Amino acid sequence: MGRMTLARWRSFYLRHYGFLLLLLLFVSFRLLAILLLRPGGFIANHPGIEYYYAWGLTGPMGYTTYENLWSVYPPLFPALMLPVFELASRIPAWSEPRLVFHTLFTLELLLFEIGNLVLLYRLASKLAMELPPRALATVAPDAAWQTLRRSPLLPPLLYALLFAPAYTMLGWFDAMPLFFLLLGLDLLLSRWRGAWAGSAVAVGLGFLVKLTPLILLPIAVRWLGARLSWTAARHEWFKRGAAGNLLRPALYAAIVGAVVVGVGLPLARFNLELALSSFRANSIRPPWQ
């Protein structure tokens, strides 16, 4: 049994050696960035992490999010961020008052970033298996370029070397909703039976972190077979066994809604008025552009 496990791990190591090496470099780069780089620079000197720090300071003032304090973000994000602030506040400050919170919170974000890199590798591997060689030959006749294009290492390599994701991790929490979006997409494309239901759970949780992961919902409905046409409405929507049957798309949307309500309301302390505060805030504030 032990030899079989060792042989399995050895096979996994040899098969994914390139990605494991990339993952090690990715983590070490971001760990040193967390400890040594200050977010903001000379242009954007007000990263979101400053707001999260100020948000945490409202607790000792007697304000509790979703109890007597509204939130600009859905309830899962403060549930992941505020406990980190409470832990950081118990550690004596050194050098800079925000140092401990910044370090601990970005370490939490690093876990999501690692998940993002792994999911990009998984999605690229699925794409490489399904993409026919002839499709690449028409775009890139050179054999070496075709090999590079087909390699599942290329997308995670680009993500790891791009400056913007690393810079964003140091000042904003967008690695969290991106993780749930990629996880939902990976499960949606999975061949495992029932994985699409897990995708719906991921979309619901992502929506409770930030609104953007909900963009996967209409994509999933279409992927699961739903078509918007009179022909589909007459012959497929309600016909059992038809490719365009609405059962799975409806269940997918229902699971997303159940997760949003079932997880979001308890996190919002069942305060419906404050639970909807993030939606009202996003509807009235101007776009970043």
Side-chain angles (χ1 to χ4, degrees):
M1 186 68 180
R3 289 185 177 180
M4 289 178 61
T5 304
L6 184 62
R8 192 179 298 115
W9 279 109
R10 176 179 172 81
S11 174
F12 176 84
Y13 172 76
L14 293 175
R15 190 167 65 253
H16 301 288
Y17 171 78
F19 176 74
L20 293 174
L21 180 61
L22 175 64
L23 180 63
L24 179 63
L25 295 171
F26 176 85
V27 173
S28 62
F29 169 69
R30 276 156 174 75
L31 275 177
L32 289 173
I34 287 171
L35 296 174
L36 299 175
L37 296 182
R38 296 191 180 190
F42 293 102
I43 298 176
N45 199 28
H46 300 283
I49 204 165
E50 302 289 336
Y51 173 72
Y52 315 148
Y53 182 79
W55 189 352
L57 290 175
T58 60
M61 298 177 186
Y63 296 101
T64 303
T65 302
Y66 291 116
E67 186 174 299
N68 53 12
L69 182 68
W70 70 285
S71 168
V72 72
Y73 297 114
L76 186 54
F77 171 64
L80 293 170
M81 183 272 295
L82 291 175
V84 176
F85 179 86
E86 292 180 12
L87 175 62
S89 66
R90 300 176 187 275
I91 301 175
W94 175 71
S95 176
E96 153 66 52
R98 299 163 296 181
L99 171 64
V100 178
F101 171 68
H102 177 272
T103 302
L104 293 182
F105 182 63
T106 46
L107 284 175
E108 181 182 26
L109 292 176
L110 179 59
L111 297 177
F112 287 93
E113 273 283 80
I114 293 172
N116 292 336
L117 193 74
V118 172
L119 288 167
L120 283 172
Y121 180 61
R122 285 175 54 85
L123 289 167
S125 299
K126 292 176 182 179
L127 183 62
M129 287 188 296
E130 295 183 5
L131 193 64
R134 195 183 312 169
L136 281 176
T138 59
V139 178
D142 182 70
W145 179 243
Q146 288 187 45
T147 303
L148 179 62
R149 288 288 299 271
R150 289 187 64 87
S151 172
L153 274 178
L154 183 59
L157 181 65
L158 292 174
Y159 185 81
L161 294 180
L162 283 171
F163 174 73
Y167 177 76
T168 302
M169 187 197 70
L170 296 178
W172 295 267
F173 74 102
D174 294 87
M176 289 183 180
L178 177 60
F179 170 78
F180 289 108
L181 179 63
L182 291 175
L183 178 61
L185 181 59
D186 180 68
L187 291 172
L188 184 64
L189 299 179
S190 175
R191 296 180 179 177
W192 295 349
R193 186 175 182 180
W196 59 270
S199 170
V201 173
V203 171
L205 293 175
F207 181 72
L208 290 173
V209 174
K210 199 172 185 178
L211 308 184
T212 48
L214 195 65
I215 194 175
L216 192 59
L217 177 58
I219 296 172
V221 168
R222 182 66 184 91
W223 177 261
L224 294 173
R227 292 191 302 144
L228 294 176
S229 69
W230 286 112
T231 303
R234 290 196 305 268
H235 304 292
E236 295 185 349
W237 282 9
F238 306 104
K239 185 178 180 181
R240 188 174 181 180
N245 186 277
L246 292 183
L247 178 60
R248 286 203 302 171
L251 285 175
Y252 191 98
I255 293 172
V256 172
V259 170
V260 170
V261 175
V263 177
L265 265 184
L267 290 177
R269 302 172 185 270
F270 297 96
N271 191 329
L272 187 60
E273 182 180 358
L274 290 180
L276 297 175
S277 60
S278 61
F279 302 103
R280 290 197 296 268
N282 280 285
S283 66
I284 62 175
R285 68 179 182 178
W288 291 114
Q289 289 87 336

